Every structure is written in C-alpha cells, then in structure tokens.
Amino acid sequence: MALGDALSYRNAPLVALDPRTSGLVLILVNVICLTAGFDFGAMCARIIVTALVTALLAAEKRWHWVMIVAVGTGLSLVIEAFGFQLISGPVSLLIAMCANLAARFLPIVGLGTYVLTTTTISAFMAALRRIRVPMLITIPFAVVLRMIPTVANESSAIAESMRSRGLRLGSAPARDLLEYRLVPLIFRTVDLGDELAAAALIRGLSVDQERTSTSRLGFHVSDFVVLLIAVAATVLWVVL
Amino acid sequence: MDGPTATPLTPDTEPMSASIHLDSVGFRYEHAQDAALVEVSLDVAPGEVVLVCGGSGSGKTTLLRVVNGLAPQFYPGELTGQVSVAGTDPTVTELPQLARLIATVFQDPKAAFFTTDVASELAFGPENLGLPQDIIGSRVTRGLERFNLAGLRDRSTVALSGGEQQRLACAVAQAMAPSVLVLDEPSSSLDELSLASLAQTLEDWKAQGKTIIMAEHQLDYVVPVADRIVVMQNGRIVASLSSDDFSHLDDERRHVWGLRSSAAAVTSGAPHVTSQTSQSTSLVADKVLIKRGDHSFALSLDHAEFPAGAITAVVGPNGVGKTTLARWLAGLLRSSSGSLAYQGHGLSRRQRLRQVNLVAQNVNHQLFTESVRHEVELSAMIARRGKTSAIDVDDILARCDLLDLADRHPMTLSGGQRQRLAIAAGLASMRPIIILDEPTSGLDWTHMNQVAECLSQVRDTGRTVIVITHDRELVAAVADDVIRLTNS
Amino acid sequence: MADANSNKLTTRDLITTGVFTALYFVVLAVFGQLGALIPILQVLGPFYIPLICGIVFVLFTTRVHHFGMITIMGILVGLLVVVTGQSWVVAVLAVVLSPIADWLFNRASGDAPAKIGTTVVTYVIFSEMLIGMVVPLFFQREAFFERLASRKAADWVSSLEAMTPPWMFVVMIVMIAVGAFLGVLLGRAIFRKHFAQVAR
C-alpha cells in the first residue's frame, strides 16, 4: 500500500464527523497532548483523549493504527511517568525523550490519519464555506489535501527507483543524491499539478464563483458525543 | 472578450449539440521553435463524431486544446486563425463559461479527479457552476445510473480500477450537460472490456446527438463509431476519410502517417517459439506466490523460463500480475514462496536488486540527471564500483540511437526517447537481466519501432530481456518467446 | 493569462499555490522524519530542513507574480505542521511572518525574475516560523522542568537542562537563517541546471 493511500479518503466511515467537529477536536487533542504534564487531571485528559482516538480508529477497523496508538501511547506514558525512577543515566534520558515524543505524537497523528481518511475533500470545502472562509483559501486548501497523497506516492516511487538503480548513500556524493531525490519529484509534481489544474479549470472551478455545496454537513449525535469527550478531557486537565 | 454567446439553456435540459469551426488555425506554444498547428481548417457539424489521429507530435492534442480553450488560456502561445465552438470563441471566452458548453475527458482520469469519492466527483463540476442543489442531485443520480456506478457511490476515486475510472470520467463529463465533448486518448491503459464499454458510451452520446471530437492512437475500437477520421501530421491535416474508407486502408498507408497497424493484421503475425536454450543460460522462476494485503494472490506462477540472449514477452489480461512479476524479479517485492535461479545459481532478493534492471512503466521516476549522456554515465559509474571493465558510453548511446540527443535534458525528450534512454542506462549498468514494463504504451508506429530496435540491440549483447506488454505489434516485431499469464 | 498588471490572484495561481504547498510539506515531512530516526539529525534539523525545502521554495517563487501566494503557502504549511504534532506557536509565526516575506518578495520583483538577495531575505523570514517547534522547550522551561523534577530524577533533569541553555534558541534561529540562505543558493543552481532549460 503506497504511502499516499494512507493519507487519502478511503470509504464512507461508520462515524461520519462534520469537518468542523474534526477541526475542533484536532485542536483540543493537539493542545492536550503537547502541553499537558503529569498531574492527575492532565494524565486523565491524555488517557481519555488517547482512548477516544483509539475508539474512532477501531470503528473504522484500522487495527494497525489502533495498536500503534493504544499500545504505543500507553507504553510511552508509563515509561514517561515512571520509567526514569528506575533507571538513571544517559540511556534513560534517551528512552525518556523517545517515550515523551511518542506519547505526544501518536494520538495526534492517529487522529489526523482518521480525519484524513474519513473526510472527503468536498466535505472540507463545504465546511469551509459554511464558516465563511473565502475561495481564496478554500481552493489551495483543497488542492493541498488532494495533492499530498499524490506527491507522497511519487516520492516513494522515486525512492524505490533510486534503490533499484543502486543509488544509495555512499554510491554518489550527498549533494547529487539530494538532487536525484528531489528533481524528478518536482517535475512529476508540476506535471500532475498542471493536469489537475487544467481539468479543474475546464470544469469551471473559479475563485470568482461561489460554489454550491452538496456535501451533507450538519451535526449528528456522533459529533456531540465526540466533542463532549474532548471538551470533558480539556476541562479535567484545566480544573484538576 | 466579446464573442457570440450561446443561447441560454434551462439548467437541467440536456442541450442541443453544437458545431465546431476551425478556420486556418495555427498555434505555437510559448517557448517552442516550431508551430504545433499549421493552417488547420476543420468543420464539425452538430451531432457529428470526428476522430483525429496521427503520430506523436502531429498536433492532435493541440487541436483539442484549441477547441476546449486550454490553448492559449492554459498553455500560453500564439494563435492565428478563427475558432468557434458551440457559438463562442473558446480562445477568449472565460473557462468557467466554457465549462457550461464543452466537457473534456482527459487521457489520465486519475490526474483529473479533484475530490475523493465518486459521488462528489460527479457533483464537483456542477457545484463549481453554482447550480442549485436539487439539479446537482439529479445529475449525480442520473450519472451513477447511466454509467453503472451506483454501487461505487462512496468509493474512493483512487480505489477504482482503470476501467471504472474511465467510466467515471465520462460520467463526470456528461454531468456538465455539455453540447460538445472533447476526448484526449481516453483509451490509454484500458483493457478489452473497458474499451468495449467506452465505445458503447460514445455510441450513446452519438445517439443523444452530442458533438464529439476525439484524439486517439489506438483506433480499432472507435473507428466504427466515428463519422469521420481526420489524419494529422506535423501540425497539418493530411487526410479526411469516412470511417468505412479508413478501415479499408492498408497498413503501409497507416504506417506512413505514423499510425499503428490494424488489429487484424497484428493477430496474424504471432512470433515463433525458438528452440529451448539450456538451463544454464536461463533465468528460471519456480512456484512463485505473492499475496496481497487481503490474502488474495497478486501472482501465482508455476514455472517460467527466460532465456539469455533472447527477448521474452510476458502477456496477459489486466490484473493477472504482470507488473507484480516484474517487481518481484527485480527484487522489489517479497514472495511468500518461490525461487529464482540464474545460470543454475539461486538469486536472493538482494542479489536481484543488483543483477536485474527494471525499466518501470513510468519512466519519469527513473531519470535523474540533466543530460542524456550524464544519465548513462551515472549507471556506468555505479556499475564501475562493482569493478566491471570500462564502459563505452558512446557505443551504448549509438546502439539506442541517442547520440545526437546526448546533450539534451531528459525532460525535453519525447516519451519514446525517454524509454530508450532508460534502456541505455540499463545497458550501462552492466546487469545481465533487463525487464521492461509496458515500454511502448502510447507510442506511435515510428517510436514503437525505435524502441523495438533498441531492444534487439540489447538482446544482441547476450542479456536476458523480459518485456511486459499489451502491445501485440511489439510482440510481433521483436519477441522471441511469449509467456502468457492467465487467471486460473 | 498572466495578468501581471492586475493584482488579483487567478484560480490557477491558487491551484499552483496548493500544489507547491503539498510538495513543500511532503519534502518537509520526509526529511524532517529522518531526525526522528537518527537523533543527531534532530539537532541539525533547523539547518538542513530549510536548506532542502529551499529547493522547492525557489521553484515556487519562479511562478509567483502576485502578492498572496507566499502568504497562503506559509499559513497552510504552518497549519499542516501544527496538525501533525507541533506547537501552535508555529502557526502563529506563520501568520505573522509569511505576509511579511510575501510583501518583500513582490515589492522588489514585480514581473522580472527575482534577484538572489530578495529571494534569500524572503525565504529566511518564511522559514523562521519553524522555530516555533522548539519554543515550548525554551519558553516554558520552568514549568516543564518543574514537572519533571517532581518525578524525582534529578540527574536526568539537570542533564537535559544543561543540554538546552537559553542561548541555544538564538543559535537555532541563526541555523535556520543559514540553512535557508544555502537552500536558496542550491535551489537557484538546480533551477538553472534543470528547470530553466525545460521551459514550461
């Protein structure tokens, strides 16, 4: 499975979140994971948030991610909280730093993957329109979401082709290798970008024309539940 | 900015077809030395289906771009002459306005998809036009029905097969309710079934009275549908024939115009199977099983032999595992079981990475440098680390007919020339096994033969050459042996 | 067509911005992740990441003729970086710095190809948003270390504290600037070698 495919929409999800809910939850999860410390309230918040992300991923049967987030974060939290009481020295420092990074990143990345693979670009565009973001921003935003998986796939293909040809560290000067790694990627991206642009313009995309949205937005029970959990976690962290 | 405007249409009626008029049209792309179109005059009546064909560089794509407004509005350049499509001048009318009149189906449907799922993709165009929600809804529903996509409504666009993607591209075009349809080589990378489906779509559009202009290099599926076939060469129209007359042309005439032979001619020229070469100079694959993520088999191969000093073609339907086989042979994939032996010795995956040269389907992932010569020298340099004797870069360039292109940047080369460059780099790598995946897809007669010649040169060096291909003409031209993969 | 005289961003400009932002971000992520695997690289990150991404940025600037594109790219990159797990400070810096970089670039260039000095200043300012990634480490130090110290691992805490003195922050700002400068040089060299001749 190419890297890019892991970053793009897959199929209609079980729990369809409105992009606005996703955005809010992403912010809250980001803040909690990056700034909450070790006191009781903070730990509660972090655990709740991790559980939430795991539950969402499980609903989509993304078992690999469930493992990574649940086990990875759990383990890292344990190490971070208690680990260095047991060992000391530079090794423990390194382990603690890695655990720290993992505990903070994994839920965020897990949630990000969840949102990306269950939300369509149309939904994003519709949501942005609803909160009155101008086409000036919506168009580049949609194009970014559309192109990141494509660029990632091209990048993997080029990396593989370099490996296949025997171009690895040591077989050529680093500066040349960097050039070989990036130049075809830039050519490919520009070409694919031009094809996308030509097609989009031919299909009437225009910064001057407001688009109709047919994506069914709106808050459902699932939105309220998820939002409630995220807010509850935040409140716990702040209050306790 | 002013030109005759089209009659306003009520939002949801399928519009009447419209005509296309080109009067002495010339076009030169901004940084090009030569004109892409020279004095082209063409009239397409409402409801007519015109097929434009020609070798690469003949100007057929540029012709389409002048019709749908991309030239010069997207591809800047100098335009001379008069153009009128569906009552407006597409060279100056704003593209969002043209979108209501002209719809285009592109060669690579994946690259043209903007959204992530099928239903949204159908809605995308009408949404751009700001049409009311209920109209869009009915167009989406109708599109899903008409093109047999209802079951794929929420499927991700990248998860569709090539045939499904092309159906979606056609549905997307129709959802714009256009008067004129422009198609640029829509049959690229389609298998037989999908070609039949595409031909049917064209018939349906014709029955609905739509005006269609399309460019193709793969002609047999569409000649019966076309009313007229226009042949281009060097930017000019050199012939205009009825569908009937065209199908009676002999292959020599077709070749002069850079066109491929007709299907009938190709199937009669099957290659002979050469006598079996001894095991010791062969590449032998045994009991190869490669699984996909969902535990189905991507490839199941009992036994295959690829003789050295010969070209073995691997053919078979889409999805049977030809590319998977190529990647496995090249050491890029692991198999759950299976072995590969060369000259009697087993080849591990790591050894395959070093002994096998894979020229993949998209050659643009494999060209890294700023000149043809440097690209070949790069492979030679890496090979020299393995202490092979001095490599004659000029000789390799000559074998692949690239000497006069030696200082050109690879990205300025045509598709066929890039293929030959990748092959040349493969020669310079000094690896004994070279595999090519669809080296001639999309190439015209002349370029296909150049690649075939290049492959013969490679074979004559004694290497084992394996070619994955759909191209029956290539197989007829150059294969010594054919291995057919089937789905059983 | 290229409305060099009007100040409005065309739809195509916006799509181009999106395409290059996606490219910039993927390159940033791919090479940024190397630091996660090889800890030494994480220290050098502020230097080599702007350098490598500079190649993409320079290519982008060859298509920038109006104010707005660099700003939009900056904001979107900032947003993406934060959403993938960095401090919100990056986004705030992006919103502040990108318009400045954008304004400087368009004021000086107009329609002519950009001078190297302009591009360097533009990109240095643009890249400094990345310092936001380490702001928590330096500016919330007291709270951070207090929390750690409360877990009773004095050695650990003091060695970490020693490794990241406040003046490191300034060093990192300089590293980003130097990396950005070299990135522009490299980007221009690559442009001349590959992209100038393949006129598109």
Side-chain angles (χ1 to χ4, degrees), chain A residues 9-10 120-122 146 154 160-161 164-165 171 180 188 194-195 202-203 205 209 211-214, chain B residues 99 110 112-113 116-117 120-121 124 127-128 130-131 133 154 156 327 362 365-366 368 375 379 431:
Chain A
Y9 173 83
R10 286 208 180 173
T120 66
I121 290 182
S122 303
R146 163 66 174 76
E154 295 293 311
E160 183 182 77
S161 144
S164 182
R165 200 154 159 187
S171 62
Y180 301 152
R188 285 299 294 153
D194 276 348
E195 286 188 51
I202 284 265
R203 292 161 74 187
L205 186 67
Q209 167 78 48
R211 310 179 70 248
T212 323
S213 312
T214 57
Chain B
K110 293 195 299 300
F113 292 149
T116 39
D117 64 297
S120 305
E121 197 61 39
F124 181 73
E127 285 176 349
N128 289 337
L131 297 178
Q133 274 193 342
D154 291 314
S156 155
R327 285 164 58 81
N362 192 334
H365 295 147
Q366 306 182 283
F368 302 103
E375 194 74 42
S379 285
R431 297 183 189 181

Side-chain angles (χ1 to χ4, degrees), chain B residues 431-474:
Chain B
R431 297 183 189 181
I433 305 162
I434 178 164
I435 307 178
L436 299 103
D437 196 350
E438 300 290 355
T440 57
S441 86
L443 295 188
D444 67 5
W445 172 256
T446 324
H447 289 94
M448 186 272 291
N449 278 308
Q450 285 172 344
V451 171
E453 173 56 33
C454 191
L455 290 177
S456 300
Q457 292 282 335
V458 176
R459 177 212 17 228
D460 293 342
T461 64
R463 284 175 170 77
T464 308
V465 183
I466 305 172
V467 182
I468 315 272
T469 185
H470 281 127
D471 191 340
R472 296 208 196 116
E473 277 188 281
L474 177 67

Side-chain angles (χ1 to χ4, degrees), chain B residues 278-296:
Chain B
S278 67
Q279 277 268 36
S280 59
T281 55
S282 275
L283 184 67
V284 182
D286 275 301
K287 302 256 181 302
V288 185
L289 284 175
I290 300 175
K291 287 207 189 107
R292 283 200 200 99
D294 57 1
H295 299 299
S296 63

Side-chain angles (χ1 to χ4, degrees), chain B residues 60-283:
Chain B
K60 52 189 196 293
T61 297
T62 310
L63 177 63
L64 295 186
R65 287 176 179 172
V66 168
V67 170
N68 67 15
L70 288 178
Q73 295 195 53
F74 190 85
Y75 299 104
E78 232 178 79
L79 180 101
T80 53
Q82 301 295 322
V83 188
S84 166
V85 178
T88 75
D89 181 351
T91 61
V92 295
T93 310
E94 303 262 323
L95 289 175
Q97 295 308 310
L98 286 180
R100 296 165 193 271
L101 303 166
I102 311 169
T104 306
V105 175
F106 291 93
Q107 188 169 1
D108 186 1
K110 293 195 299 300
F113 292 149
F114 197 91
T115 69
T116 39
D117 64 297
V118 172
S120 305
E121 197 61 39
L122 284 170
F124 181 73
E127 285 176 349
N128 289 337
L129 298 179
L131 297 178
Q133 274 193 342
D134 47 348
I135 303 272
I136 300 180
S138 74
R139 288 199 190 176
V140 170
T141 316
R142 241 184 313 164
L144 291 172
E145 277 168 28
R146 257 178 176 153
F147 289 88
N148 205 6
L149 294 164
L152 300 169
R153 177 177 230 286
D154 291 314
R155 187 77 65 87
S156 155
T157 50
V158 301
L160 299 175
S161 72
E164 288 165 343
Q165 286 178 344
Q166 198 52 264
R167 280 204 328 261
L168 178 57
C170 291
V172 158
Q174 180 140 33
M176 294 300 278
S179 319
V180 174
L181 283 151
V182 176
L183 298 99
D184 193 354
E185 306 206 10
S187 72
S188 304
S189 72
L190 289 187
D191 62 11
E192 303 251 329
L193 257 158
S194 308
L195 278 179
S197 164
L198 178 58
Q200 185 59 53
T201 301
L202 291 166
E203 292 275 11
D204 292 340
W205 279 338
K206 189 172 170 180
Q208 290 163 32
K210 301 214 183 285
T211 311
I212 302 177
I213 181 167
M214 57 187 288
E216 262 301 356
H217 76 281
Q218 212 183 146
L219 302 167
D220 296 299
Y221 82 98
V222 68
V223 165
V225 185
D227 292 313
R228 216 189 335 152
I229 297 166
V230 163
V231 184
M232 292 188 70
Q233 210 172 24
N234 294 323
R236 292 170 198 272
I237 294 181
V238 295
S240 180
L241 306 157
S242 73
S243 157
D244 225 18
D245 288 341
F246 187 86
S247 29
H248 290 125
L249 284 175
D250 60 42
D251 282 339
E252 239 187 84
R253 188 89 275 246
R254 288 170 85 135
H255 295 165
V256 164
W257 284 331
L259 305 175
R260 298 295 203 97
S261 316
S262 63
V266 178
T267 36
S268 55
H272 57 284
V273 177
T274 45
S275 54
Q276 287 297 312
T277 24
S278 67
Q279 277 268 36
S280 59
T281 55
S282 275
L283 184 67

